[in-house]
Amino acid sequence: MNFFDIAGILVALAAAFAFINHKLLKLPTTVGLMLLAMLHAITLLLIDRFVPGSVVLTSAETLIGSIDFDQTLMQGMLGYLLFAGALHVNLNDLKQQTAVIALLATVGVLATTFIVGGLTWFITGWLGIEVRFIYCLIFGSIVAPTDPIAVLGIFKSLGAPKSLETKIAGESLFNDGVGVVVFIALLGIAGLGGHGESHADGNQQEETSRVVQQSEQEQPHEEVQAGGEVTETNASDVAKLFALEAGGGIALGFVLGVLAFLLLRSIDHYATEILISLAVVTGGYALAMKLHLSGPLAMVVAGLILGNHGRTLAMSDRTRQHLDTFWELVDELLNAVLFVLIGLEVLVLSFHEKYLLAGALAIPAALLARFLSVGTVVTVVKKVTGREFTPHAIKVMTWGGLRGGISVALALSLKEEIHAQQSQYDNVGELILTMTYVVVAFSILVGGLTIGPMLSRLGLTGQSKTDSH
């Protein structure tokens, strides 16, 4: 299938599912679209079970097989979605939560990676599935970051305390880019090369491999020992890679944002100004890929600058209205297609009983890791700063830390990389993809549908204008 065939089918499915959801189910849009897409895929699998060789299932599998989910999201949709989300985050609100957001997006991601990795090591061992510890850590990095695409869409209409919404939105915007960098670093340690943001970029793989090879020359080591110990040299190399990708991405985003701000301030023509914002995302993300920097972080920073300073100092009222309408439409359309794609990915899963059970057990593991990382950060910030937090903040942030398309994309890229290496651990790619999908499906369907009632039970609804901590 060519691009227009695929786009036509996906947009048509998204429109049909959105209509059904709006008229009948009346669920949050992202949740409803994903649920209907999953039910559609499961129906096709059941038809094939009773009518083997069904043309309908074959056509659906051809469609999914024609789509590189990793490329589509990581190098296509993600930059636009993150920029659109960052445009509507108030920078002053974000500054008030700087300490919490920064710690959750860095220390929180790393802590969750190791906690989930360690628990996954025990889960797979208990189930009799042979998995090296490094792959357990990679799985931890895949499910560690919360997904802003899922979180922001659901939290818009909850009426939660403003500071709580800012923490979740800010953390999810930044820990996405951090999580991808950690994923790339762990792939390098595992000797698999770097995918993540630049899945098709051979130069990125060479850079990651060079870092690892340099480490091996300085101190030979196993990739990660069974006990999970990482050598000091490896930790140093990972820190270098993290600083280069994350720090460089933030710097690039700042430069792009300031440049766009200056251009917008010099004119008053909404069509041209929208085109400039589109160029920042399209050209800026491509530039970040070429420079081996974090494209997601660059888009978040650029979006924050244009959504705050650009909005108040460089745009007329007419431009603000048109620009907001344009990016809201882009956000809604891409979100719709993305969650339909996530639902249809059921067709590529391996329904191995042990893999599904491992995924089910990974759900409480991910929740526990999230609870410990959030609880530790919030407790430390409270003691150091003396600030009070919204009641039940830890509970809400734990349950509201949804996972989404980024986790699925990273799991698919890992599966493809392991398969390309013709590794004896080829089954690990299927295992991690299945586990990731189970965690993501639970997160969006169960978490997304229950976070509203949870806020109501805790008495935290309708406080968006009164809360400030």
Side-chain angles (χ1 to χ4, degrees):
M1 291 187 180
N2 60 41
F3 170 79
F4 291 103
D5 290 336
I6 295 172
I9 293 172
L10 289 177
V11 172
L13 284 174
F17 293 156
F19 181 82
I20 294 171
N21 179 62
H22 181 74
K23 293 291 287 186
L24 301 176
L25 302 182
K26 303 187 184 301
L27 298 174
T29 303
T30 52
V31 177
L33 288 173
M34 179 177 170
L35 177 61
L36 288 170
M38 287 180 66
L39 292 175
H40 178 70
I42 292 171
T43 300
L44 294 179
L45 292 172
L46 290 175
I47 291 174
D48 184 68
R49 184 179 183 86
F50 293 105
V51 187
S54 171
V55 177
V56 177
L57 179 63
T58 302
S59 300
E61 290 177 337
T62 301
L63 171 65
I64 297 301
S66 303
I67 302 170
D68 188 330
F69 191 96
D70 175 40
Q71 288 274 3
T72 301
L73 177 59
M74 303 305 291
Q75 295 194 40
M77 297 180 176
L78 185 59
Y80 300 97
L81 289 166
L82 288 173
F83 181 83
L87 273 179
H88 298 96
V89 174
N90 188 288
L91 196 55
N92 291 326
D93 292 338
L94 202 63
K95 288 178 180 178
Q96 294 178 10
Q97 311 297 336
T98 299
V100 176
I101 292 173
L103 288 173
L104 286 174
T106 52
V107 176
V109 168
L110 292 172
T112 302
T113 296
F114 282 91
I115 294 172
V116 172
L119 292 174
T120 301
W121 171 260
F122 286 107
I123 290 171
T124 54
W126 180 68
L127 292 174
I129 305 173
E130 183 182 355
V131 183
R132 293 164 60 205
F133 186 71
I134 183 63
Y135 290 119
C136 295
L137 287 180
I138 290 175
F139 172 68
S141 73
I142 288 173
V143 299
T146 54
D147 192 338
I149 300 167
V151 173
L152 296 179
I154 293 172
F155 264 75
K156 283 179 181 178
S157 59
L158 288 180
K162 186 63 178 178
S163 66
L164 194 58
E165 183 180 348
T166 300
K167 290 185 187 75
I168 294 175
E171 178 211 356
S172 62
L173 284 173
F174 285 100
N175 71 11
D176 167 58
V178 173
V180 172
V181 173
V182 173
F183 174 79
I184 292 172
L186 290 173
L187 281 186
I189 294 174
L192 293 175
H195 276 181
E197 298 164 324
S198 48
H199 176 59
D201 195 332
N203 292 331
Q204 173 66 57
Q205 296 183 22
E206 292 173 6
E207 174 66 18
T208 306
S209 298
R210 184 193 63 75
V211 172
V212 176
Q213 288 170 3
Q214 181 183 12
S215 170
E216 290 173 344
Q217 292 171 1
E218 294 173 1
Q219 180 174 340
H221 63 282
E222 286 295 323
E223 292 160 0
V224 173
Q225 301 296 330
E229 296 180 357
V230 181
T231 66
E232 182 178 351
T233 303
N234 279 340
S236 173
D237 290 330
V238 170
K240 291 177 184 176
L241 181 62
F242 180 86
L244 174 65
E245 293 247 355
I250 292 173
L252 176 62
F254 179 79
V255 171
L256 290 172
V258 171
L259 178 61
F261 168 79
L262 295 175
L263 292 174
L264 294 179
R265 193 173 63 175
S266 67
I267 61 173
D268 183 14
H269 186 257
Y270 75 85
T272 303
E273 292 175 81
I274 290 174
L275 191 59
I276 290 173
S277 70
L278 196 58
V280 167
V281 182
T282 307
Y285 203 92
L287 179 61
M289 296 298 96
K290 290 299 181 182
L291 298 176
H292 314 313
L293 306 177
S294 174
L297 289 176
M299 292 305 99
V300 169
V301 173
L304 287 172
I305 292 174
L306 291 186
N308 288 269
H309 299 296
R311 184 185 300 276
T312 57
L313 302 176
M315 300 181 195
S316 64
D317 291 339
R318 188 182 185 194
T319 296
R320 278 194 293 270
Q321 181 181 354
H322 283 285
L323 186 134
D324 283 343
T325 300
F326 173 80
W327 281 106
E328 285 171 7
L329 179 61
V330 170
D331 188 44
E332 291 291 335
L333 177 60
L334 293 182
N335 263 318
V337 173
L338 173 62
F339 280 87
V340 167
L341 269 177
I342 295 175
L344 293 177
E345 288 296 324
V346 168
L347 295 171
V348 304
L349 293 184
S350 173
F351 290 94
H352 191 291
E353 290 183 3
K354 284 190 175 181
Y355 293 0
L356 292 172
L357 179 56
L361 293 174
I363 293 171
L367 287 172
L368 175 62
R370 173 75 178 166
F371 177 77
L372 292 175
S373 60
V374 171
T376 301
V377 168
V378 170
T379 302
V380 169
V381 173
K382 285 175 67 175
K383 288 185 176 181
V384 172
T385 64
R387 292 181 57 188
E388 291 297 325
F389 282 75
T390 304
H392 312 291
I394 296 175
K395 296 177 188 176
V396 175
M397 293 180 70
T398 297
W399 196 248
L402 308 184
R403 277 76 173 183
I406 293 165
S407 295
V408 176
L410 294 180
L412 283 166
S413 74
L414 174 66
K415 176 187 172 184
E416 293 169 6
E417 179 63 36
I418 293 176
H419 181 71
Q421 296 282 346
Q422 297 182 341
S423 168
Q424 60 177 316
Y425 297 99
D426 198 47
N427 65 310
V428 174
E430 292 283 355
L431 168 67
I432 291 180
L433 175 59
T434 302
M435 293 176 67
T436 300
Y437 196 89
V438 171
V439 171
V440 169
F442 176 88
S443 173
I444 294 175
L445 297 180
V446 179
L449 288 175
T450 57
I451 188 67
M454 178 184 184
L455 287 171
S456 297
R457 283 198 309 273
L458 296 175
L460 297 177
T461 55
Q463 300 184 26
S464 58
K465 294 183 179 180
T466 59
D467 176 74
S468 61
H469 295 286

